[in-house]
Amino acid sequence: MSANFDGPGSCKQLEKNTKCPKCKKKGVYYVGSEVLHGNPYTPASDTEVSHYYECARKKCKHSWSRLV
């Protein structure tokens, strides 16, 4: 995955092997990232980035984020 730091909704890349935490099916969209603190291009222990995802299944459409 190549991160897009323009925030949620800034891109839509399918990740076939990632599972949705709600429906447990594989296939989610990575929809962007947001830098909360620090500089992601020179990673340090105090850099915080939130990555946003959306389930690719039309029946689920669950959305969530992961803080890294």
Side-chain angles (χ1 to χ4, degrees), residues 25-42:
K25 302 286 184 183
K26 286 186 177 181
V28 302
Y29 288 112
Y30 162 73
V31 293
S33 297
E34 183 175 32
V35 178
L36 304 175
H37 177 75
N39 183 350
Y41 299 107
T42 57

Side-chain angles (χ1 to χ4, degrees), residues 1-4 11 13 15 30 33:
M1 172 187 81
S2 62
N4 183 328
C11 67
Q13 298 173 355
E15 293 187 2
Y30 162 73
S33 297

